[in-house]
Structures are given as structure tokens and as C-alpha cells.
Amino acid sequence: MKNNIIKELKLRKLIEKISDEKKIKKILNNKNNNIYCGFDPNNDSLHIGHLIPLITLKRFLNLGYKPIILIGSFTSIIGDPSFRYKKRKKYNENKIKTFSKKIIKQIKNIISNKIKILQNIKWFENMKIKFFLKKIGKIFIINNMLNKKSIKKRNIKKYHGITFTELSYPILQSYDFLYLFKKENVKIQIGGSDQWGNIISGINLIKKKLKKKSFGITLPLITKKNGKKLSKSENNNDNIIWLDPKKTTPYEFYQFWLNINDNKINEYFKQFTFLKIKKINDIIKNKNIKEKKEILAKKITEIVHGKKKIKNIIDTTKFFFKKKIKKITKKQFIKLFKNEIPKLSINNNIINLKEIIILLKIVKTKSQAHNLICNKTIKINNKKITNYKYNIKKKDKLFNTFTIIKKGKKNFFLIKWINN
């Protein structure tokens, strides 16, 4: 059936803006017309803010399209200034290459090994400045660029304005679209809603250079409770839910989805899972909040970490939340420690609770650890600790080997004690 993909995306509330819906539908009737989305390798892992575009590309692939992913291995050296309050942290080229390899592997694991992935360093590293300025740069009017809402958010005295290097980012991204339009028959670019201005710049460049039409679709962003974009480039990276299991364990990833706001459940089912809309509506109608969250967490974790991880994650969750600690056997503790959960092996000589809290990366400083204990937030083997001078005792080491540290109601950490 024709045009199913746009209808599907609308039903799942995945379209924020679309440049020309009628013509995009016509373009998508021919599955040889390609679509692309770009990702800048600014870290060694993508995070949950990238999941919506990744899953959307997989929807296209599942319907027989051949989407392309572009890794901004060149543009990431510059950094997108859009909606940023300060300069993005810069990395050298070797670091960017390492990051690119890691996120390409992640993308293939989530979407498919069949997905075509290109890197824009291929066409930018040997580009002559004369060509860039004469053929591309002259098309962009600086006044128009500075007046964009996305740039104005950064171009404030308090945040030291914006550099020419950063201002060149949307020009380079526009050229990406032009290059892919000519070389890969890419007619549509998709991205987060914060990318609308950059996408339109690419559409305009193609129109001016080739006298041809191209199109754009933007997708919703995952936002924090304060409405700000969830971004790995913000100051506090500790709260980011990464897709790399070494940075955010599958257990922590699963727990994140169990703990989302109740009012987001229905929306996230449509946006993040491949369940049919009818099935989603049945779940929404017939399941209670807890059951809905468990199904949602399972489905999304399967997409990112695979089905094999789910059983271990669910077993671990049952132990921590439903089983009394005194009833957990040594054999079960050993099995739990092998699972990908928040855990740490600690030397027996380290006994100060504040020091242990820092080692577990629950907080960064002793004063923060002090406050957690004084606020009655920390438990050892389900026993609340209120003494900020508390030192681990022999009785706290179950089977003389394991201790469970709990922060608040939902955050568990398993310690395995080792000798020198």
C-alpha cells in the first residue's frame, strides 16, 4: 500500500514538522528515493535522545526503503551551535574516529547490519577553501543565519557570542544534504525538531544549486522535566541514559523506562516500540500502570540490548524489589553479580560509607554523600543508615562477600568485597 509510512509516523505522533506532506508522500511511493539522518560523534556512545530517529529509520528499513545514516565525523569537529547556551566541547580527530567506530557499531546493533552508513569526512577533508567560499558560502546570507532562533539562543554576550567556525556548521550540514542528493538520490532529511533550521538551509541550497526540490521531516525530542532537550553535551553527563551497556547497564536502562512519568506511557509506546497501534491501544486500555511500564521497558530494552538480556534484567529486578535480602542465597548473589547491573568490587580495607558512595558514583563528593546519609536516603541491606560517620561492619557483608547499597526507593548497587 502507498504512503503507509507517513500515516504510520502520524499515528505514532512522530512528526513535528514536514516541509511538503503531499509531495513527500509522492516521493515515498518510489522506494528508490532515499532518506537520511545525521549523527555527530561527540561521545563514545549515543543516548536515549537518539532513539527516536534511530527507531524511525528502522521503520523505513522494515518497509523496504534504504535509509542512509550520516556520521558527522567532520562536522562534529566544529559542533552544532543550535539552541546551545555555550560552546560545545571539542575533540581531536583521533578521538572523533574512535567515537565514530563505536557509535556505528551501536547503530548497526539497533537498526541492522544492512543499514548504509557514510561519514562526511569523506567529502570534506580534501575540499578546497576556494570551492567552499565561492560555490557554497556565497549562497548563505549572514544576517539571515544570525536571525535564526536556534542561533540567537547562543549568540548572547553572556555566553560569549558565536564563532565563525560554529556559524559554518549549518552551511556544512546543508552541503551534506546537497552531496547526498546528488550522489545517493537522497530526497528527504529527517532529524530532531531542533534541526528544522539546518534542514531548511539544506533544502534551500539544493534548490539554488540544482533547481530541484528536496524535503524535510522533524521528529519530537525527548525532554527533561523542565522541558529542556535531553543532551549529552549539557554539564551533567551523569544523568544521561546511554545506549552503551558499559556506560549505562541494561539493568539501569530498563529501570529508567519503569520510572518514566505516567503521562508519557501512551506516547512512548507509540514512538519507541514496533507494536501495532491496535495492540498498543489494547495494552493502554486493559493493563494497569505498572504492567504498562513493564511491557514498555521490556520492548525498548530488547531493541537496544537484545532479547537475551531481558531475562537476566527481569530476574535481577525481582530480586531487588520483591525478594527479602535474607532469602537471597549465596549462589543467587554470585549469579546477580554476573549480570549487567550497577556493581563494584571493593577492597575489604575500604570501610567508610561516604567513600564507598563515591566509589559507586552515586555522587561525586563527600559533602554530597554526607547529605544523602543525613537525609536518610541510604540503606545497607535494606537497613536505613543515618550516621554520616558509618563504617561497613562484618555483619553488613552477606556470606562475608556481598553488600547491597540502596539509594532512595529504586536505585540498587551490589558490592563484592575482595581481599588485597
Side-chain angles (χ1 to χ4, degrees), residues 102-155:
K102 289 186 176 182
I103 69 170
I104 285 171
K105 185 178 178 181
Q106 283 181 355
I107 289 167
K108 287 184 175 181
N109 285 340
I110 293 169
I111 300 180
S112 167
N113 277 323
K114 296 178 182 178
I115 191 80
K116 187 169 187 177
I117 301 177
L118 302 174
Q119 298 193 52
N120 64 8
I121 199 163
K122 174 186 173 182
W123 50 87
F124 279 127
E125 67 177 344
N126 295 317
M127 181 182 284
K128 293 182 178 179
I129 188 69
K130 181 180 177 181
F131 171 84
F132 178 72
L133 294 175
K134 189 174 180 180
K135 301 293 185 181
I136 307 300
K138 71 175 185 179
I139 292 172
F140 292 83
I141 307 301
I142 292 294
N143 287 349
N144 294 342
M145 296 173 73
L146 291 174
N147 283 326
K148 284 184 179 179
K149 184 180 178 182
S150 59
I151 297 296
K152 280 185 173 181
K153 288 279 185 179
R154 260 284 277 119
N155 192 17

Side-chain angles (χ1 to χ4, degrees), residues 68-187:
I68 292 172
I69 283 179
L70 179 65
I71 303 299
S73 47
F74 184 85
T75 42
S76 60
I77 297 168
I78 292 168
D80 184 1
S82 299
F83 293 103
R84 297 189 180 278
Y85 292 103
K86 51 185 164 182
K87 294 179 185 177
R88 186 199 290 269
K89 187 177 179 180
K90 298 294 192 303
Y91 296 100
N92 63 42
E93 291 184 35
N94 288 333
K95 204 74 160 174
I96 295 295
K97 284 181 183 178
T98 301
F99 291 170
S100 296
K101 286 179 183 178
K102 289 186 176 182
I103 69 170
I104 285 171
K105 185 178 178 181
Q106 283 181 355
I107 289 167
K108 287 184 175 181
N109 285 340
I110 293 169
I111 300 180
S112 167
N113 277 323
K114 296 178 182 178
I115 191 80
K116 187 169 187 177
I117 301 177
L118 302 174
Q119 298 193 52
N120 64 8
I121 199 163
K122 174 186 173 182
W123 50 87
F124 279 127
E125 67 177 344
N126 295 317
M127 181 182 284
K128 293 182 178 179
I129 188 69
K130 181 180 177 181
F131 171 84
F132 178 72
L133 294 175
K134 189 174 180 180
K135 301 293 185 181
I136 307 300
K138 71 175 185 179
I139 292 172
F140 292 83
I141 307 301
I142 292 294
N143 287 349
N144 294 342
M145 296 173 73
L146 291 174
N147 283 326
K148 284 184 179 179
K149 184 180 178 182
S150 59
I151 297 296
K152 280 185 173 181
K153 288 279 185 179
R154 260 284 277 119
N155 192 17
I156 303 171
K157 279 188 177 180
K158 181 179 177 183
Y159 300 108
H160 310 293
I162 187 168
T163 66
F164 174 79
T165 303
E166 290 175 297
L167 199 58
S168 69
Y169 182 94
I171 303 177
L172 296 173
Q173 185 175 317
S174 299
Y175 185 81
D176 285 337
F177 199 174
L178 174 67
Y179 181 92
L180 294 172
F181 187 97
K182 291 193 294 185
K183 302 291 185 180
E184 300 290 341
N185 199 37
V186 167
K187 301 295 175 67

Side-chain angles (χ1 to χ4, degrees), residues 122-270:
K122 174 186 173 182
W123 50 87
F124 279 127
E125 67 177 344
N126 295 317
M127 181 182 284
K128 293 182 178 179
I129 188 69
K130 181 180 177 181
F131 171 84
F132 178 72
L133 294 175
K134 189 174 180 180
K135 301 293 185 181
I136 307 300
K138 71 175 185 179
I139 292 172
F140 292 83
I141 307 301
I142 292 294
N143 287 349
N144 294 342
M145 296 173 73
L146 291 174
N147 283 326
K148 284 184 179 179
K149 184 180 178 182
S150 59
I151 297 296
K152 280 185 173 181
K153 288 279 185 179
R154 260 284 277 119
N155 192 17
I156 303 171
K157 279 188 177 180
K158 181 179 177 183
Y159 300 108
H160 310 293
I162 187 168
T163 66
F164 174 79
T165 303
E166 290 175 297
L167 199 58
S168 69
Y169 182 94
I171 303 177
L172 296 173
Q173 185 175 317
S174 299
Y175 185 81
D176 285 337
F177 199 174
L178 174 67
Y179 181 92
L180 294 172
F181 187 97
K182 291 193 294 185
K183 302 291 185 180
E184 300 290 341
N185 199 37
V186 167
K187 301 295 175 67
I188 303 167
Q189 181 183 355
I190 69 169
S193 58
D194 59 336
Q195 290 299 308
W196 182 249
N198 290 339
I199 292 173
I200 293 298
S201 292
I203 290 171
N204 291 337
L205 178 62
I206 291 167
K207 184 178 179 180
K208 289 175 181 178
K209 291 292 291 181
L210 304 178
K211 311 300 180 188
K212 292 183 179 180
K213 288 191 175 182
S214 55
F215 308 91
I217 299 172
T218 57
L219 311 170
L221 300 173
I222 300 182
T223 55
K224 303 173 186 176
K225 289 180 180 179
N226 60 10
K228 285 187 177 181
K229 173 185 173 182
L230 190 154
S231 171
K232 64 181 177 294
S233 58
E234 297 297 334
N235 286 336
N236 188 0
N237 283 354
D238 297 335
N239 296 324
I240 298 296
I241 305 299
W242 301 95
L243 305 189
D244 184 341
K246 292 180 181 178
K247 295 176 74 114
T248 297
T249 67
Y251 170 81
E252 291 172 303
F253 184 88
Y254 179 82
Q255 289 297 318
F256 170 83
W257 298 103
L258 287 184
N259 296 315
I260 60 168
N261 290 338
D262 293 354
N263 62 4
K264 290 287 186 180
I265 296 173
N266 300 353
E267 178 184 322
Y268 285 175
F269 257 114
K270 292 175 182 177

Side-chain angles (χ1 to χ4, degrees), residues 392-407:
I392 297 295
K393 299 174 175 56
K394 187 175 181 180
K395 66 178 182 179
D396 297 323
K397 300 178 181 181
L398 305 171
F399 305 105
N400 204 35
T401 308
F402 298 101
T403 300
I404 295 175
I405 303 289
K406 184 178 178 184
K407 176 202 167 192

